[in-house]
């Protein structure tokens, strides 16, 4: 009974599973059929697009082939023309062989000249560079010359002014010194004459007075004092005269040194300055 019972349950389970399997198989077939239909539609659409695409490509290729055929015909015609031109050119080349040889010889000669030309061109460039440097140096020298001329004009004007002032000063100093020396000499000569006269008068007075020796001694002392005073005055005048002569000579030496420093010859003064000797010389 149990075996029969489980056999029935087994049969029922088999029937249920068989039914479920058939149902699932049917659903699966329906889905597959739907997918197949969809794929067929997609493939037909893609096939149509590809067919259209390749038809367009075929049409374009046919058009391109026709165009290339036309171009080939044109190229054949051009090739024929070029062959004819080639024959003409070959004929011209044969005719131009001799002029070509002459031209080659001429080119060789010109190349030789070109070598000399390059060397001459380089020498010319060097000469131009040297000329530029020389021109610059010339401009610098001209500028320095102009500056030196201006300085020379200025120095010359200062020299002329100094020369005029110094000439004027020389004349004034000579006049003052000469006049002072003349006065001093006249004064000295007058004092000497006066001393000589006084001595003569004193001798006469002493000879006529017959003074005693003591009085004569007193008078002699007084006379000696007067003579000493006069001699001191004479020495003082001689010293002043020596100072004036020395100042005059120093001024002449300074003037000559200045003229030598400015490059002025002493002969251009127009006169010869007097050099006063010192007393006793």
């Amino acid at each position: 009974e149990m075996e029969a019972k489980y056999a029935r349950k087994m049969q029922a389970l088999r029937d249920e599973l068989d039914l479920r399997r058939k149902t699932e198989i049917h659903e699966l077939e329906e889905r597959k059929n739907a997918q197949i239909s969809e794929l067929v539609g997609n493939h037909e659409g893609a096939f149509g697009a590809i067919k259209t695409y390749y038809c367009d490509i075929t049409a374009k290729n046919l058009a391109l082939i026709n165009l290339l055929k036309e171009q080939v015909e044109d190229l054949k015609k051009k090739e024929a023309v070029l062959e004819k031109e080639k024959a003409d050119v070959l004929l011209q080349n044969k005719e131009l062989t001799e002029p070509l040889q002459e031209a080659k010889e001429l080119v060789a000669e010109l190349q030789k000249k070109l070598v000399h030309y390059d060397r001459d061109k380089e020498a010319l460039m060097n000469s131009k560079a040297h000329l530029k440097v020389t021109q610059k140096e010339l401009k610098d020298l001209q500028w320095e010359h102009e500056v030196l001329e201006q300085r020379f004009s200025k120095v010359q004007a200062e020299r002329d002014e100094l020369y005029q002032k110094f000439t004027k000063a020389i004349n004034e100093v000579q006049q003052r010194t000469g006049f002072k020396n003349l006065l001093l000499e006249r004064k000295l000569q007058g004092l000497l004459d006066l001393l000589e006269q006084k001595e003569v008068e004193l001798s006469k007075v002493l000879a006529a007075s017959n003074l005693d020796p003591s009085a004569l001694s007193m008078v002699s002392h007084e006379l000696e004092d007067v003579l000493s005073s006069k001699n001191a005055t004479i020495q003082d005048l001689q010293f002043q005269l020596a100072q004036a002569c020395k100042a005059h000579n120093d001024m002449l030496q300074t003037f000559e040194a200045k003229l030598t420093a400015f490059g002025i010859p002493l002969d251009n003064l127009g006169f010869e300055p007097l050099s006063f000797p010192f007393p006793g010389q």
Side-chain angles (χ1 to χ4, degrees):
E1 289 177 0
M2 287 180 68
E3 186 178 357
K5 181 180 178 181
Y6 281 102
R8 288 193 297 270
K9 287 183 178 182
M10 182 66 71
Q11 188 64 38
L13 183 59
R14 283 180 178 177
D15 294 337
E16 183 180 358
L17 291 175
D18 188 36
L19 180 61
R20 184 182 296 176
R21 180 179 60 78
K22 289 180 179 180
T23 303
E24 290 178 356
I25 289 173
H26 181 69
E27 292 176 357
L28 182 61
E29 287 179 353
E30 287 181 354
R31 287 198 302 271
K32 294 298 181 182
N33 292 329
Q35 291 179 358
I36 290 170
S37 298
E38 185 178 357
L39 288 174
V40 169
N42 293 332
H43 288 170
E44 287 179 355
F47 179 74
I50 292 173
K51 185 178 180 180
T52 303
Y53 173 72
Y54 281 106
C55 287
D56 294 337
I57 291 177
T58 303
K60 290 180 180 179
N61 288 334
L62 290 174
L64 181 60
I65 289 170
N66 293 328
L67 179 62
L68 290 175
K69 285 181 179 180
E70 294 177 358
Q71 291 179 357
V72 167
E73 292 294 331
D74 294 335
L75 290 174
K76 286 182 178 180
K77 292 179 181 179
K78 289 181 180 179
E79 184 180 3
V81 174
L82 290 175
E83 287 292 335
K84 184 178 179 181
E85 291 179 355
K86 179 181 177 182
D88 296 337
V89 169
L90 290 174
L91 181 61
Q92 291 177 1
N93 286 338
K94 290 181 180 179
E95 294 176 354
L96 293 174
T97 302
E98 184 177 354
L100 179 61
Q101 185 65 30
E102 294 177 356
K104 286 182 179 179
E105 294 176 357
L106 179 61
V107 167
E109 184 179 357
L110 291 177
Q111 285 179 348
K112 292 180 181 179
K113 291 183 178 180
L114 181 61
V115 174
H116 296 290
Y117 171 76
D118 292 335
R119 187 168 58 248
D120 295 338
K121 184 178 180 181
E122 184 177 0
L124 180 61
M125 292 177 65
N126 294 330
S127 300
K128 287 183 177 180
H130 183 68
L131 179 61
K132 288 182 179 179
V133 174
T134 306
Q135 287 178 349
K136 186 177 183 301
E137 292 178 354
L138 178 61
K139 288 182 180 178
D140 294 338
L141 290 176
Q142 288 177 349
W143 182 78
E144 291 179 0
H145 177 69
E146 185 177 356
V147 172
L148 290 175
E149 281 187 348
Q150 294 177 359
R151 290 177 61 188
F152 176 75
S153 301
K154 184 178 179 181
V155 171
Q156 193 173 14
E158 292 177 355
R159 183 204 65 183
D160 295 339
E161 183 179 0
L162 180 63
Y163 175 75
Q164 293 176 359
K165 289 182 179 179
F166 202 79
T167 303
K168 184 177 180 181
I170 284 289
N171 293 329
E172 292 177 356
V173 171
Q174 281 185 342
Q175 290 177 0
R176 288 198 301 267
T177 306
F179 183 69
K180 188 174 181 180
N181 290 338
L182 182 61
L183 290 178
L184 291 175
E185 289 177 355
R186 288 183 179 180
K187 188 175 182 180
L188 180 61
Q189 187 64 36
L191 290 174
L192 292 175
D193 294 339
L194 180 60
L195 177 61
E196 185 179 357
Q197 183 180 359
K198 292 297 182 181
E199 288 179 350
V200 173
E201 290 177 356
L202 180 60
S203 298
K204 290 181 180 179
V205 170
L206 291 175
S209 61
N210 294 322
L211 295 175
D212 57 353
S214 60
L216 184 60
S217 176
M218 185 180 297
V219 172
S220 297
H221 285 300
E222 291 179 356
L223 183 59
E224 288 178 358
D225 292 338
V226 172
L227 289 176
S228 298
S229 176
K230 297 299 183 182
N231 288 329
T233 303
I234 290 171
Q235 290 178 358
D236 185 49
L237 291 174
Q238 288 178 348
F239 180 72
Q240 293 179 8
L241 178 61
Q243 285 183 338
C245 292
K246 185 177 184 304
H248 177 74
N249 293 333
D250 291 341
M251 183 188 64
L252 287 178
Q253 292 177 0
T254 304
F255 178 67
E256 291 176 357
K258 289 291 183 180
L259 290 178
T260 304
F262 282 105
I264 303 173
L266 298 178
D267 297 336
N268 292 344
L269 288 176
F271 63 92
E272 183 178 359
L274 296 176
S275 178
F276 292 99
F278 294 109
Q281 294 184 346

